[in-house]
Amino acid sequence: SSMSAFPSCAAAVAGSGAQRVILDWIDENVDDATPVALRSTVGFLAALARDAPTASTILAMDGIEITRSLLAKASTSTAATATPAFLTATVELVSNLSLVGEEAILKLNDAGTFRRIIKAISTSAEYLQDPSCMTRVLELVRQVSTIGSVANDLVQQGVQDLIVAAMNANGTSD
């Protein structure tokens, strides 16, 4: 997105308290918003979270709880929001929150965030067949697996099966 080219712009927007406004909006509208509005908002929040101090603020403001409700939306295959683009935006948000550091990764893991991502993918072949979605997920797995306990949890949750399934589903793409 164009936001990503301007980290200082993202920091300025975040400094204005935008992340609080966005988190509140998601919290209040997660069940009623149109899929496009929700995906765009999550994408914007993920872009803001590329700025580490902003990501820390989001974590401190119930960002993990919000992420949980977003992943619930992605896991209900009947939900209009359950699209690869929406899951990709949500995983990008989680990934940027994880970049805050080891403590953030452990908090996200303890809250079941990574488990929910694996579960969401298992609900829809559409996710597995979407190369950009699976690339984002596999990048996140690689990123958080640097912590042994998290890697062990991911293995127990079936992450290897997921990786194999993703590779099989995308066998024709590079």
Side-chain angles (χ1 to χ4, degrees), residues 105-173:
I105 293 173
L106 291 169
K107 272 186 188 162
L108 286 158
N109 190 49
D110 289 346
T113 310
F114 309 132
R115 176 174 53 79
R116 283 190 176 83
I117 290 170
I118 293 171
K119 180 175 167 274
I121 292 163
S122 69
T123 63
S124 169
E126 205 186 344
Y127 292 141
L128 280 172
Q129 289 157 3
D130 188 285
S132 60
C133 181
M134 292 315 301
T135 300
R136 207 81 193 75
V137 170
L138 296 178
E139 280 171 6
L140 175 68
V141 167
R142 186 178 49 77
Q143 183 185 321
V144 302
S145 293
T146 53
I147 300 174
S149 61
V150 175
N152 290 341
D153 287 348
L154 289 172
V155 168
Q156 286 179 342
Q157 290 149 18
V159 77
Q160 280 114 322
D161 295 341
L162 180 78
I163 292 168
V164 171
M167 287 164 68
N168 288 341
N170 293 291
T172 53
S173 74

Coordinates of all heavy atoms in Angstrom, one line a residue, residues 105-173:
I105 N 5.3 -11.6 20.8 CA 5.0 -12.9 20.2 C 4.5 -13.9 21.3 O 3.5 -14.6 21.0 CB 6.3 -13.5 19.6 CG1 6.8 -12.6 18.4 CG2 6.1 -15.0 19.1 CD1 8.1 -13.0 17.8
L106 N 5.1 -13.9 22.4 CA 4.6 -14.8 23.5 C 3.2 -14.4 23.9 O 2.3 -15.3 24.2 CB 5.6 -14.7 24.7 CG 6.9 -15.3 24.4 CD1 7.9 -15.0 25.6 CD2 6.8 -16.9 24.2
K107 N 2.9 -13.1 24.0 CA 1.5 -12.7 24.4 C 0.5 -13.1 23.3 O -0.6 -13.6 23.6 CB 1.5 -11.1 24.5 CG 1.8 -10.6 25.8 CD 1.6 -9.1 25.8 CE 2.1 -8.4 27.1 NZ 2.3 -7.0 27.0
L108 N 0.9 -12.9 22.0 CA 0.0 -13.3 20.9 C -0.2 -14.8 21.0 O -1.3 -15.3 20.7 CB 0.6 -12.9 19.6 CG 0.5 -11.4 19.3 CD1 1.5 -11.0 18.3 CD2 -0.9 -11.0 18.8
N109 N 0.8 -15.6 21.2 CA 0.7 -17.0 21.3 C -0.1 -17.5 22.5 O -1.0 -18.3 22.3 CB 2.1 -17.6 21.4 CG 2.1 -19.2 21.2 OD1 1.5 -19.6 20.2 ND2 2.7 -19.9 22.1
D110 N 0.1 -16.9 23.6 CA -0.7 -17.2 24.8 C -2.2 -16.9 24.6 O -3.1 -17.6 25.1 CB -0.2 -16.4 26.0 CG 1.1 -16.9 26.5 OD1 1.6 -18.0 26.1 OD2 1.8 -16.2 27.3
A111 N -2.5 -15.9 23.8 CA -3.9 -15.5 23.5 C -4.5 -16.5 22.4 O -5.7 -16.3 22.1 CB -4.0 -14.1 23.1
G112 N -3.7 -17.4 21.9 CA -4.2 -18.3 20.9 C -4.2 -17.7 19.5 O -4.9 -18.3 18.6
T113 N -3.6 -16.6 19.3 CA -3.6 -15.9 18.0 C -3.1 -16.8 16.8 O -3.8 -16.9 15.8 CB -2.8 -14.6 18.0 OG1 -3.2 -13.9 19.2 CG2 -3.1 -13.8 16.8
F114 N -2.0 -17.4 17.0 CA -1.4 -18.2 15.9 C -2.2 -19.5 15.7 O -2.4 -19.9 14.5 CB 0.1 -18.5 16.2 CG 0.9 -17.3 16.5 CD1 1.7 -17.3 17.7 CD2 0.8 -16.2 15.8 CE1 2.5 -16.2 18.0 CE2 1.6 -15.0 16.1 CZ 2.4 -15.1 17.2
R115 N -2.7 -20.0 16.7 CA -3.6 -21.2 16.7 C -4.8 -20.9 15.9 O -5.3 -21.6 15.0 CB -4.0 -21.7 18.1 CG -4.9 -22.8 18.1 CD -5.2 -23.3 19.5 NE -5.5 -22.3 20.5 CZ -6.8 -21.8 20.6 NH1 -7.7 -22.2 19.8 NH2 -7.1 -20.8 21.4
R116 N -5.4 -19.7 16.1 CA -6.6 -19.3 15.4 C -6.3 -19.1 13.9 O -7.2 -19.3 13.1 CB -7.1 -18.0 16.0 CG -7.9 -18.2 17.3 CD -8.6 -16.9 17.7 NE -9.4 -17.2 18.9 CZ -8.8 -17.3 20.2 NH1 -7.6 -17.0 20.3 NH2 -9.6 -17.6 21.2
I117 N -5.1 -18.6 13.6 CA -4.8 -18.4 12.1 C -4.7 -19.8 11.5 O -5.3 -20.0 10.4 CB -3.4 -17.7 12.0 CG1 -3.6 -16.2 12.4 CG2 -2.9 -17.7 10.6 CD1 -2.3 -15.4 12.6
I118 N -4.1 -20.8 12.1 CA -4.0 -22.1 11.6 C -5.4 -22.7 11.4 O -5.8 -23.3 10.4 CB -3.1 -23.0 12.4 CG1 -1.7 -22.5 12.4 CG2 -3.3 -24.5 12.0 CD1 -0.8 -23.2 13.4
K119 N -6.3 -22.5 12.4 CA -7.7 -23.0 12.4 C -8.4 -22.3 11.3 O -9.2 -23.0 10.5 CB -8.3 -22.7 13.7 CG -9.7 -23.2 13.8 CD -10.3 -22.9 15.3 CE -11.8 -23.1 15.3 NZ -12.5 -21.8 15.0
A120 N -8.3 -21.0 11.1 CA -9.0 -20.3 10.0 C -8.7 -20.9 8.7 O -9.6 -21.1 7.9 CB -8.6 -18.8 10.1
I121 N -7.4 -21.1 8.4 CA -7.0 -21.6 7.1 C -7.6 -23.0 6.9 O -8.0 -23.3 5.8 CB -5.4 -21.7 7.0 CG1 -4.9 -20.3 7.0 CG2 -5.0 -22.4 5.8 CD1 -3.5 -20.1 7.3
S122 N -7.7 -23.8 8.0 CA -8.3 -25.1 7.8 C -9.7 -25.1 7.5 O -10.3 -26.1 7.0 CB -8.0 -26.0 9.1 OG -8.8 -25.5 10.1
T123 N -10.4 -23.9 7.6 CA -11.8 -23.9 7.3 C -12.1 -23.6 5.8 O -13.3 -23.7 5.4 CB -12.5 -22.7 8.1 OG1 -12.0 -21.4 7.7 CG2 -12.4 -22.9 9.6
S124 N -11.1 -23.3 5.1 CA -11.4 -22.9 3.7 C -10.2 -23.2 2.7 O -9.1 -22.7 2.9 CB -11.7 -21.4 3.6 OG -11.8 -21.0 2.2
A125 N -10.5 -24.0 1.7 CA -9.5 -24.3 0.7 C -9.1 -23.1 -0.1 O -8.0 -23.0 -0.6 CB -10.0 -25.4 -0.3
E126 N -10.0 -22.1 -0.1 CA -9.7 -20.8 -0.8 C -8.5 -20.2 -0.2 O -7.7 -19.6 -0.9 CB -11.0 -19.9 -0.6 CG -11.1 -18.9 -1.7 CD -12.2 -17.9 -1.4 OE1 -13.1 -18.1 -0.6 OE2 -12.2 -16.8 -2.1
Y127 N -8.3 -20.3 1.1 CA -7.1 -19.7 1.7 C -5.8 -20.4 1.2 O -4.9 -19.7 0.8 CB -7.2 -19.8 3.3 CG -8.2 -19.0 3.9 CD1 -9.0 -19.5 5.0 CD2 -8.5 -17.7 3.5 CE1 -9.9 -18.7 5.6 CE2 -9.5 -16.9 4.1 CZ -10.2 -17.4 5.2 OH -11.1 -16.6 5.8
L128 N -5.9 -21.7 1.3 CA -4.7 -22.5 0.9 C -4.3 -22.2 -0.6 O -3.2 -22.3 -0.9 CB -5.0 -24.0 1.1 CG -4.9 -24.6 2.5 CD1 -5.4 -26.0 2.5 CD2 -3.5 -24.5 3.0
Q129 N -5.3 -22.0 -1.4 CA -5.1 -21.8 -2.8 C -4.7 -20.4 -3.2 O -4.5 -20.1 -4.4 CB -6.3 -22.3 -3.6 CG -6.5 -23.8 -3.6 CD -7.9 -24.2 -3.8 OE1 -8.8 -23.4 -4.1 NE2 -8.2 -25.5 -3.7
D130 N -4.6 -19.5 -2.2 CA -4.3 -18.1 -2.5 C -2.8 -17.9 -2.2 O -2.4 -17.9 -1.0 CB -5.2 -17.2 -1.6 CG -5.0 -15.7 -2.0 OD1 -4.0 -15.1 -1.7 OD2 -5.9 -15.2 -2.7
P131 N -2.0 -17.7 -3.2 CA -0.5 -17.7 -2.9 C -0.1 -16.5 -2.0 O 0.7 -16.7 -1.2 CB 0.1 -17.5 -4.3 CG -0.9 -18.0 -5.3 CD -2.3 -17.7 -4.6
S132 N -0.7 -15.3 -2.2 CA -0.3 -14.2 -1.4 C -0.7 -14.4 0.0 O 0.0 -14.0 1.0 CB -0.8 -12.9 -2.0 OG -2.2 -12.9 -2.0
C133 N -1.9 -15.0 0.3 CA -2.3 -15.2 1.6 C -1.4 -16.2 2.3 O -0.9 -16.0 3.4 CB -3.8 -15.8 1.6 SG -4.4 -16.1 3.2
M134 N -1.1 -17.3 1.6 CA -0.2 -18.3 2.2 C 1.2 -17.9 2.4 O 1.9 -18.2 3.4 CB -0.3 -19.6 1.4 CG -1.6 -20.3 1.4 SD -2.4 -20.5 3.1 CE -1.1 -21.4 4.0
T135 N 1.7 -17.0 1.5 CA 3.0 -16.5 1.6 C 3.1 -15.7 2.9 O 4.0 -15.8 3.7 CB 3.4 -15.6 0.4 OG1 3.4 -16.4 -0.7 CG2 4.8 -15.0 0.6
R136 N 2.1 -14.9 3.2 CA 2.0 -14.0 4.4 C 2.0 -14.9 5.6 O 2.7 -14.6 6.6 CB 0.7 -13.2 4.3 CG 0.9 -11.9 5.1 CD 1.6 -10.8 4.3 NE 2.0 -9.7 5.0 CZ 3.1 -9.6 5.9 NH1 3.7 -10.7 6.2 NH2 3.4 -8.5 6.4
V137 N 1.2 -16.0 5.6 CA 1.0 -16.9 6.7 C 2.4 -17.6 7.0 O 2.8 -17.7 8.1 CB -0.1 -17.9 6.5 CG1 -0.1 -19.0 7.5 CG2 -1.4 -17.2 6.5
L138 N 3.0 -18.1 5.9 CA 4.3 -18.8 6.1 C 5.4 -17.9 6.6 O 6.2 -18.3 7.4 CB 4.7 -19.5 4.8 CG 3.7 -20.6 4.4 CD1 4.1 -21.2 3.1 CD2 3.5 -21.7 5.4
E139 N 5.4 -16.6 6.2 CA 6.3 -15.6 6.7 C 6.1 -15.4 8.2 O 7.1 -15.3 8.9 CB 6.2 -14.3 6.0 CG 6.8 -14.2 4.6 CD 6.5 -13.0 3.8 OE1 5.8 -12.1 4.4 OE2 6.8 -12.9 2.6
L140 N 4.9 -15.3 8.6 CA 4.5 -15.2 10.0 C 5.0 -16.4 10.8 O 5.7 -16.2 11.9 CB 3.0 -15.0 10.2 CG 2.6 -14.9 11.7 CD1 3.1 -13.7 12.4 CD2 1.1 -15.0 11.8
V141 N 4.8 -17.6 10.3 CA 5.2 -18.8 11.0 C 6.7 -18.8 11.2 O 7.2 -19.1 12.3 CB 4.8 -20.1 10.2 CG1 5.5 -21.3 10.7 CG2 3.2 -20.2 10.3
R142 N 7.4 -18.4 10.1 CA 8.9 -18.4 10.2 C 9.4 -17.3 11.2 O 10.3 -17.6 12.0 CB 9.4 -18.0 8.8 CG 11.0 -18.1 8.6 CD 11.4 -17.7 7.2 NE 10.8 -16.5 6.7 CZ 11.2 -15.3 7.0 NH1 12.1 -15.1 7.9 NH2 10.6 -14.3 6.4
Q143 N 8.7 -16.2 11.2 CA 9.0 -15.1 12.1 C 8.9 -15.5 13.5 O 9.7 -15.1 14.4 CB 8.1 -13.9 11.7 CG 8.3 -12.6 12.4 CD 7.1 -11.7 11.9 OE1 6.8 -11.6 10.8 NE2 6.6 -10.9 12.8
V144 N 7.8 -16.1 13.9 CA 7.5 -16.4 15.3 C 8.1 -17.7 15.8 O 8.2 -17.9 17.0 CB 6.0 -16.3 15.6 CG1 5.4 -15.0 15.2 CG2 5.2 -17.4 15.0
S145 N 8.5 -18.5 14.8 CA 9.1 -19.8 15.2 C 10.5 -19.7 15.7 O 11.1 -20.7 16.1 CB 9.1 -20.8 14.0 OG 7.7 -21.1 13.7
T146 N 11.1 -18.5 15.7 CA 12.4 -18.3 16.3 C 12.4 -18.5 17.8 O 13.4 -18.7 18.4 CB 12.9 -16.9 16.0 OG1 11.9 -15.9 16.5 CG2 13.1 -16.6 14.5
I147 N 11.2 -18.5 18.4 CA 11.0 -18.8 19.8 C 10.6 -20.2 19.9 O 9.5 -20.6 19.4 CB 10.0 -17.9 20.5 CG1 10.4 -16.4 20.3 CG2 9.8 -18.2 21.9 CD1 9.4 -15.4 20.7
G148 N 11.4 -21.0 20.6 CA 11.2 -22.5 20.7 C 9.9 -22.9 21.2 O 9.2 -23.8 20.6
S149 N 9.4 -22.3 22.2 CA 8.1 -22.7 22.8 C 6.9 -22.4 21.8 O 6.0 -23.2 21.7 CB 7.8 -22.0 24.1 OG 7.7 -20.6 23.9
V150 N 7.1 -21.3 21.1 CA 6.0 -21.0 20.1 C 6.1 -22.0 18.9 O 5.1 -22.5 18.4 CB 6.2 -19.5 19.6 CG1 5.2 -19.2 18.4 CG2 6.0 -18.6 20.7
A151 N 7.3 -22.3 18.5 CA 7.5 -23.3 17.4 C 6.9 -24.6 17.8 O 6.2 -25.3 17.0 CB 9.0 -23.5 17.1
N152 N 7.1 -25.0 19.0 CA 6.5 -26.3 19.5 C 5.0 -26.3 19.5 O 4.4 -27.2 19.1 CB 7.0 -26.6 21.0 CG 8.5 -26.9 21.0 OD1 9.1 -27.3 20.0 ND2 9.1 -26.8 22.2
D153 N 4.4 -25.2 19.9 CA 3.0 -25.0 19.9 C 2.4 -25.1 18.5 O 1.4 -25.8 18.2 CB 2.5 -23.7 20.5 CG 2.7 -23.7 22.1 OD1 3.0 -24.7 22.7 OD2 2.6 -22.6 22.6
L154 N 3.1 -24.5 17.6 CA 2.7 -24.5 16.2 C 2.7 -25.9 15.6 O 1.8 -26.3 14.9 CB 3.6 -23.6 15.3 CG 3.4 -22.0 15.6 CD1 4.5 -21.3 14.8 CD2 2.0 -21.6 15.1
V155 N 3.8 -26.6 16.0 CA 3.9 -28.0 15.5 C 2.7 -28.8 16.1 O 2.1 -29.6 15.3 CB 5.2 -28.6 15.9 CG1 5.2 -30.1 15.8 CG2 6.4 -28.0 15.1
Q156 N 2.4 -28.7 17.3 CA 1.3 -29.4 17.9 C -0.1 -29.0 17.3 O -1.0 -29.8 17.3 CB 1.2 -29.1 19.4 CG 2.3 -29.9 20.2 CD 2.3 -29.6 21.7 OE1 1.7 -28.6 22.1 NE2 2.9 -30.4 22.4
Q157 N -0.1 -27.8 16.8 CA -1.4 -27.3 16.2 C -1.5 -27.7 14.7 O -2.4 -27.3 14.0 CB -1.5 -25.8 16.3 CG -1.8 -25.4 17.8 CD -1.2 -24.1 18.2 OE1 -0.9 -23.3 17.3 NE2 -1.1 -23.8 19.5
G158 N -0.5 -28.4 14.2 CA -0.5 -29.0 12.8 C 0.0 -28.1 11.8 O -0.4 -28.1 10.6
V159 N 1.0 -27.2 12.1 CA 1.5 -26.3 11.2 C 2.2 -27.0 10.0 O 2.2 -26.5 8.9 CB 2.4 -25.2 11.8 CG1 3.8 -25.7 12.2 CG2 2.5 -24.0 10.9
Q160 N 2.8 -28.1 10.2 CA 3.5 -28.8 9.1 C 2.5 -29.3 8.1 O 2.8 -29.1 6.9 CB 4.3 -30.1 9.6 CG 5.6 -29.7 10.2 CD 5.6 -30.1 11.7 OE1 4.6 -29.9 12.4 NE2 6.7 -30.6 12.2
D161 N 1.4 -29.8 8.5 CA 0.4 -30.2 7.6 C -0.1 -29.1 6.7 O -0.3 -29.2 5.5 CB -0.8 -30.8 8.3 CG -0.5 -32.1 9.1 OD1 0.6 -32.7 8.7 OD2 -1.2 -32.5 10.0
L162 N -0.2 -27.9 7.4 CA -0.6 -26.7 6.7 C 0.4 -26.3 5.6 O 0.0 -25.9 4.5 CB -0.7 -25.6 7.8 CG -1.2 -24.2 7.3 CD1 -2.7 -24.2 7.0 CD2 -0.8 -23.1 8.2
I163 N 1.6 -26.3 6.0 CA 2.7 -26.0 5.0 C 2.7 -26.9 3.8 O 2.7 -26.4 2.7 CB 4.1 -26.0 5.7 CG1 4.1 -24.8 6.8 CG2 5.2 -25.8 4.7 CD1 5.3 -24.9 7.7
V164 N 2.6 -28.2 4.1 CA 2.5 -29.2 3.0 C 1.3 -28.9 2.1 O 1.4 -28.9 0.9 CB 2.5 -30.6 3.5 CG1 2.3 -31.6 2.4 CG2 3.9 -30.9 4.2
A165 N 0.1 -28.7 2.8 CA -1.1 -28.5 2.0 C -1.0 -27.2 1.2 O -1.4 -27.2 0.0 CB -2.3 -28.3 3.0
A166 N -0.4 -26.2 1.7 CA -0.2 -24.9 1.0 C 0.7 -25.1 -0.2 O 0.5 -24.6 -1.3 CB 0.4 -23.9 1.9
M167 N 1.8 -25.9 0.0 CA 2.7 -26.2 -1.1 C 2.0 -27.0 -2.2 O 2.2 -26.7 -3.4 CB 4.0 -26.9 -0.6 CG 4.9 -25.9 0.2 SD 6.1 -26.8 1.2 CE 7.1 -27.5 -0.1
N168 N 1.2 -28.0 -1.8 CA 0.5 -28.8 -2.8 C -0.5 -27.9 -3.5 O -0.7 -28.0 -4.8 CB -0.2 -29.9 -2.1 CG 0.7 -31.0 -1.6 OD1 1.9 -31.1 -2.1 ND2 0.3 -31.8 -0.7
A169 N -1.3 -27.1 -2.8 CA -2.3 -26.2 -3.4 C -1.7 -25.2 -4.4 O -2.4 -24.8 -5.4 CB -3.1 -25.5 -2.3
N170 N -0.5 -24.8 -4.1 CA 0.2 -23.8 -5.0 C 1.3 -24.4 -5.8 O 2.2 -23.6 -6.2 CB 0.6 -22.6 -4.1 CG -0.5 -21.9 -3.5 OD1 -1.3 -21.2 -4.1 ND2 -0.7 -22.1 -2.2
G171 N 1.2 -25.6 -6.1 CA 2.3 -26.3 -6.8 C 2.6 -25.7 -8.2 O 3.7 -25.8 -8.6
T172 N 1.6 -25.0 -8.7 CA 1.9 -24.5 -10.1 C 2.4 -23.1 -10.0 O 2.9 -22.5 -11.0 CB 0.5 -24.4 -10.9 OG1 -0.4 -23.7 -10.1 CG2 0.0 -25.8 -11.2
S173 N 2.4 -22.4 -8.8 CA 3.0 -21.1 -8.7 C 4.4 -21.1 -8.2 O 4.7 -22.1 -7.5 CB 2.1 -20.2 -7.9 OG 2.2 -20.5 -6.5

